[in-house]
């Protein structure tokens, strides 16, 4: 769901503020307590701000670009988009006449690779109250608009750049500070305040947050703001999972199955299954070891010896059948086999009957044979998500099988994960890449459990990152594709925000809220629908509710002067 706020505010008119990257500065950064904190320019993204009252421009703009992030504000509608997409749109002749109120500002990274986005604002602290006249003079000189001061901190003022300002907010704020006239002056830098994880090994999990090679990760930290896999069941069909492991135990299901004995007992035939379970759903924020991609998902251990044993193909098929019959939403498979009709039938059954007919999401490793063809069973059914492995630099792992049946890639070299007996270690292989994708599927299903398997697959594939230097030269239903990388690197945040989900609104006043990509919207309705409906007021202004299904209860009031539009 994408929410863009349309609140009342003051407009700033003029031409587009040029995008500047501080490339002429030896040390981009901002001043704090007399010290300059360094920043790194991120040329890939730009922050775009449009006055909220200019609804026509906002609507036209957001129809033509893919929004990566929304920054909440009352005066501007502020969005983060790809810089090249911004430049392509705003350079067209048809757009220029509509762009009078659009302001663009840079994106940066901190020294630890955290993303920060420069809004149109500058925050200035006066040395004394009488210095407001000085601030007014500097505002006129630099083309700034004084918005307001902060009541609880009367010496602090919020200013906004206008198109008359020939510098970006960071440059302008630094010049104000360097003038010596003000106690503090710094650009307003928006960032995600959510702490990704307090798990001690999280900073080593480059697949989740790559501090060495930014953007070569699955963007899961941002996705956790929206979903963590709660109430979604991931079956790990593998060598067994250590159900007593300190970083897994809270997420282990009571449903456990061993294909070798056809019984519900916990068997560990090797370390491999515990490795895969940790990648998919290790507990997060418990101050222990690592974090899984879907840290609140439920792990269903289904064990198989994965060794040379009699009738093993039938046992693996039995494991798949048992998984969908016992409510698994996702089946993660980091193993290969010889072609076998029983396995084919089990996979087909899971797609047809799993999740009450919506189909289980089935993820398979592509194989580690240094081969240009994807292994069986990953290659036996086009509805399977076949996953290859990449390194932390974004290149295909040399062992990772690829070919025409490859769908996507995920982190798979030297990845920290769980070992039996409360241990951890580094693992490599498409076996490790596979549960990354299973975890992302769990995040998507938490957002909308009514999606079919093909819908989930499509969300994952169309939101994959196109890796730098790779020629995605084949066009497929979900975008461009490459024989070694599939649709690209799986991305959790992009997939999650692209997932249509139900929205419940209760006990609040909505003013000018536009909701995109919602499955259903329930206004004035309790989330569980078991308590009294919450009172909702649709405040004055133009309000649009957009979803496949919208239900407005009697406890909703629409004041005089409100224009309410219902779209589906």
């Amino acid at each position: 769901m994408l929410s863009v706020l349309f609140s009342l505010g003051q407009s700033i008119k003029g031409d587009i503020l040029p995008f500047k990257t501080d490339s002429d500065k030896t040390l981009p950064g901002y001043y704090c307590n007399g010290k300059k904190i360094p920043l790194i320019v991120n040329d890939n993204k730009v922050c775009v701000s449009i006055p909220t009252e200019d609804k026509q421009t906002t609507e036209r703009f957001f129809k033509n670009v893919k929004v990566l992030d929304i920054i909440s504000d009352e005066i501007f509608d502020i969005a983060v988009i790809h810089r090249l997409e911004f430049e392509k749109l705003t350079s067209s002749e048809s757009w220029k006449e509509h762009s009078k109120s659009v302001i663009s500002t840079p994106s940066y990274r901190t020294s630890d690779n955290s993303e920060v986005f420069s809004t149109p604002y500058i925050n200035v602290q006066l040395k004394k109250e009488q210095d407001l006249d000085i601030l007014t003079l500097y505002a006129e000189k630099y083309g700034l608009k004084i918005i307001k001061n902060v009541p609880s901190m009367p010496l602090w003022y919020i200013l906004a750049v206008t198109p008359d300002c020939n510098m970006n907010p960071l440059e302008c704020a630094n010049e104000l500070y360097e003038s010596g006239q003000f106690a503090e002056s710094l650009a307003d830098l928006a960032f995600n305040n959510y702490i990704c994880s307090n798990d001690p090994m999280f900073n080593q999990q480059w697949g989740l947050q790559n501090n060495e090679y930014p953007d070569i990760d699955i963007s899961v930290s941002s996705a956790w703001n929206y979903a963590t896999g709660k109430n979604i069941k991931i079956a790990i069909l593998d060598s067994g999972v250590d159900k007593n492991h300190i970083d897994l135990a809270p997420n282990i299901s009571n449903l456990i199955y061993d294909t070798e004995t056809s019984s519900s007992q916990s068997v560990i035939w090797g370390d491999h299954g515990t490795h895969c379970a940790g990648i998919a759903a290790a507990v997060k924020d418990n101050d222990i070891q690592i974090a899984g991609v879907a840290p609140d998902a439920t792990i269903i251990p289904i064990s198989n010896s994965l060794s040379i044993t009699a009738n093993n193909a039938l046992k693996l098929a039995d494991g798949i059948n048992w998984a969908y019959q016992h409510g698994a939403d996702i089946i993660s498979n980091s193993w290969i086999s010889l072609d076998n009709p029983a396995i084919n039938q089990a996979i087909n059954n899971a797609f047809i009957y799993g999740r009450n007919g919506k189909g289980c999401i089935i993820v398979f490793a592509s194989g580690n044979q240094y081969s240009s063809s994807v292994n069986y069973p990953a290659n036996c059914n086009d509805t399977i998500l076949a996953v290859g492995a990449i390194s932390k630099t974004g290149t295909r792992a040399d062992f990772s099988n690829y070919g025409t049946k490859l769908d996507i890639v995920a982190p798979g070299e030297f990845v920290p994960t769980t070992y039996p007996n409360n241990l951890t270690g580094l693992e490599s292989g498409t076996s490790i890449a596979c549960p990354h994708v299973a975890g992302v599927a769990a995040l998507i299903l938490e957002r909308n459990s009514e999606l079919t398997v093909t819908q989930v697959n499509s969300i994952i594939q169309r939101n994959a990152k196109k890796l730098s230097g790779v020629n995605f030269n084949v066009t497929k239903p979900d975008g461009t594709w490459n024989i070694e990388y599939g649709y690209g690197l799986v991305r959790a945040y992009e997939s999650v925000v692209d997932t249509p989900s139900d929205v419940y609104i209760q006990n609040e006043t909505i003013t000018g809220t536009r909701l995109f990509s919602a499955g259903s919207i329930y206004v004035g309705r309790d989330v569980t629908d078991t308590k009294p409906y919450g009172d909702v007021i649709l405040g004055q202004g133009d309000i649009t509710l957009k979803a496949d299904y919208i239900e407005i209860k009697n406890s909703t009031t629409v004041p005089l002067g409100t224009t309410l539009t219902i779209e589906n």
Side-chain angles (χ1 to χ4, degrees):
M1 182 187 73
L2 171 64
S3 298
V4 181
L5 300 181
F6 292 88
S7 306
L8 295 177
Q10 302 174 20
S11 63
I12 296 177
K13 301 293 183 181
D15 295 327
I16 296 174
L17 189 68
F19 181 88
K20 300 184 71 176
T21 63
D22 284 331
S23 58
D24 57 330
K25 299 282 187 179
T26 58
L27 183 65
Y30 66 96
Y31 287 101
C32 178
N33 296 326
K35 296 182 179 179
K36 198 170 188 181
I37 310 299
L39 294 171
I40 303 165
V41 176
N42 180 4
D43 285 324
N44 295 323
K45 297 179 181 180
V46 58
C47 193
V48 176
S49 304
I50 305 172
T52 56
E53 65 179 24
D54 190 354
K55 297 178 183 179
Q56 183 178 4
T57 299
T58 301
E59 290 179 7
R60 187 173 188 272
F61 190 88
F62 288 126
K63 283 181 180 178
N64 288 279
V65 298
K66 180 178 180 180
V67 175
L68 304 177
D69 263 305
I70 291 291
I71 298 173
S72 179
D73 185 53
E74 295 181 350
I75 296 178
F76 294 95
D77 291 310
I78 308 176
V80 179
I81 66 171
H82 290 292
R83 182 187 177 193
L84 291 179
E85 193 172 0
F86 170 78
E87 291 179 342
K88 181 180 178 180
L89 174 64
T90 56
S91 62
S92 64
E93 289 298 325
S94 62
W95 172 257
K96 287 182 179 179
E97 62 183 77
H98 298 283
S99 63
K100 300 299 184 182
S101 59
V102 180
I103 294 176
S104 66
T105 47
S107 167
Y108 302 96
R109 287 189 177 273
T110 63
S111 58
D112 65 356
N113 278 318
S114 298
E115 281 190 314
V116 294
F117 305 108
S118 177
T119 75
Y121 297 111
I122 296 173
N123 303 153
V124 177
Q125 182 187 17
L126 305 181
K127 292 183 177 180
K128 56 184 184 298
E129 291 184 6
Q130 292 78 6
D131 290 344
L132 178 57
D133 290 340
I134 299 175
L135 180 64
T136 301
L137 291 174
Y138 272 83
E140 293 175 357
K141 175 182 177 182
Y142 284 93
L144 304 173
K145 184 180 185 68
I146 298 176
I147 304 299
K148 63 179 181 180
N149 81 320
V150 182
S152 62
M153 299 183 292
L155 294 180
W156 280 92
Y157 280 80
I158 298 173
L159 294 82
V161 297
T162 73
D164 295 328
C165 181
N166 62 3
M167 293 182 287
N168 67 47
L170 185 68
E171 296 170 328
C172 189
N174 287 350
E175 288 210 7
L176 292 182
Y177 180 80
E178 291 165 359
S179 73
Q181 297 291 333
F182 308 103
E184 297 285 356
S185 174
L186 62 160
D188 175 52
L189 301 173
F191 66 99
N192 189 344
N193 297 89
Y194 187 84
I195 298 173
C196 284
S197 173
N198 65 18
D199 301 286
M201 295 179 66
F202 180 79
N203 62 354
Q204 301 174 44
Q205 292 183 267
W206 67 265
L208 305 190
Q209 181 170 291
N210 194 334
N211 294 323
E212 188 174 354
Y213 296 92
D215 287 336
I216 306 301
D217 57 47
I218 69 168
S219 69
V220 77
S221 291
S222 298
W224 284 334
N225 288 311
Y226 299 87
T228 54
K230 189 174 182 180
N231 298 322
I232 304 302
K233 298 179 286 294
I234 304 175
I236 305 292
L237 175 50
D238 212 282
S239 62
V241 177
D242 182 355
K243 67 184 182 68
N244 297 313
H245 192 287
I246 55 174
D247 214 12
L248 299 175
N251 288 345
I252 300 293
S253 171
N254 292 326
L255 291 170
I256 295 174
Y257 187 68
D258 178 55
T259 64
E260 302 293 340
T261 61
S262 299
S263 63
S264 296
Q265 59 178 312
S266 177
V267 179
I268 300 177
W269 298 97
D271 296 350
H272 196 256
T274 304
H275 302 163
C276 296
I279 295 292
V283 179
K284 183 174 76 72
D285 288 334
N286 59 353
D287 286 310
I288 298 173
Q289 296 179 350
I290 68 167
V293 175
D296 287 328
T298 299
I299 300 166
I300 301 178
I302 303 176
S303 53
N304 180 281
S305 67
L306 297 184
S307 60
I308 303 175
T309 59
N311 302 308
N312 201 40
L314 286 177
K315 294 172 184 176
L316 289 166
D318 178 41
I320 294 171
N321 278 315
W322 189 93
Y324 89 76
Q325 290 168 0
H326 288 79
D329 299 298
I330 300 154
I331 308 175
S332 182
N333 306 273
S334 294
W335 48 271
I336 63 174
S337 176
L338 295 177
D339 292 23
N340 187 282
I343 292 176
N344 292 348
Q345 291 168 20
I347 290 171
N348 197 47
N349 286 341
F351 286 142
I352 295 173
Y353 304 114
R355 299 177 54 242
N356 296 316
K358 293 184 286 293
C360 293
I361 289 78
I362 299 181
V363 189
F364 266 95
S366 68
N368 304 328
Q369 283 71 44
Y370 299 80
S371 171
S372 59
S373 61
V374 171
N375 271 128
Y376 179 88
N379 64 4
C380 76
N381 190 310
D382 287 340
T383 311
I384 289 171
L385 285 171
V387 185
I390 62 165
S391 70
K392 69 159 55 176
T393 64
T395 58
R396 180 179 64 84
D398 58 0
F399 54 76
S400 180
N401 290 9
Y402 59 94
T404 57
K405 293 295 186 178
L406 184 70
D407 294 306
I408 203 151
V409 292
E413 273 194 352
F414 305 111
V415 176
T417 188
T418 47
Y419 276 52
N421 301 314
N422 298 328
L423 300 177
T424 59
L426 298 178
E427 284 296 318
S428 297
T430 57
S431 293
I432 298 304
C434 175
H436 280 89
V437 177
V440 172
L443 303 181
I444 292 170
L445 286 180
E446 182 193 341
R447 291 275 288 172
N448 189 342
S449 62
E450 295 302 312
L451 296 174
T452 66
V453 57
T454 54
Q455 288 173 323
V456 173
N457 290 354
S458 181
I459 288 170
I460 288 173
Q461 291 171 164
R462 70 175 178 249
N463 287 288
K465 178 180 177 60
K466 306 304 180 185
L467 294 158
S468 177
V470 178
N471 185 14
F472 291 87
N473 57 352
V474 177
T475 300
K476 290 197 172 188
D478 289 316
T480 54
W481 179 92
N482 176 275
I483 196 166
E484 293 187 54
Y485 295 85
Y487 284 99
L489 171 60
V490 65
R491 297 285 271 180
Y493 171 74
E494 289 77 0
S495 297
V496 166
V497 298
D498 191 35
T499 301
S501 61
D502 292 347
V503 176
Y504 296 86
I505 304 170
Q506 56 176 332
N507 294 321
E508 57 184 290
T509 299
I510 308 169
T511 302
T513 302
R514 178 178 293 270
L515 301 170
F516 294 91
S517 300
S520 300
I521 299 178
Y522 302 94
V523 182
R525 175 172 177 159
D526 187 80
V527 174
T528 63
D529 206 18
T530 59
K531 300 177 182 178
Y533 299 133
D535 294 330
V536 172
I537 300 174
L538 300 180
Q540 291 185 354
D542 295 334
I543 297 172
T544 300
L545 301 180
K546 183 175 182 179
D548 294 335
Y549 174 80
I550 299 172
E551 182 174 345
I552 298 179
K553 292 294 183 178
N554 293 335
S555 56
T556 302
T557 60
V558 183
L560 185 65
T562 296
T563 300
L564 176 61
T565 303
I566 304 295
E567 298 180 3
N568 56 25

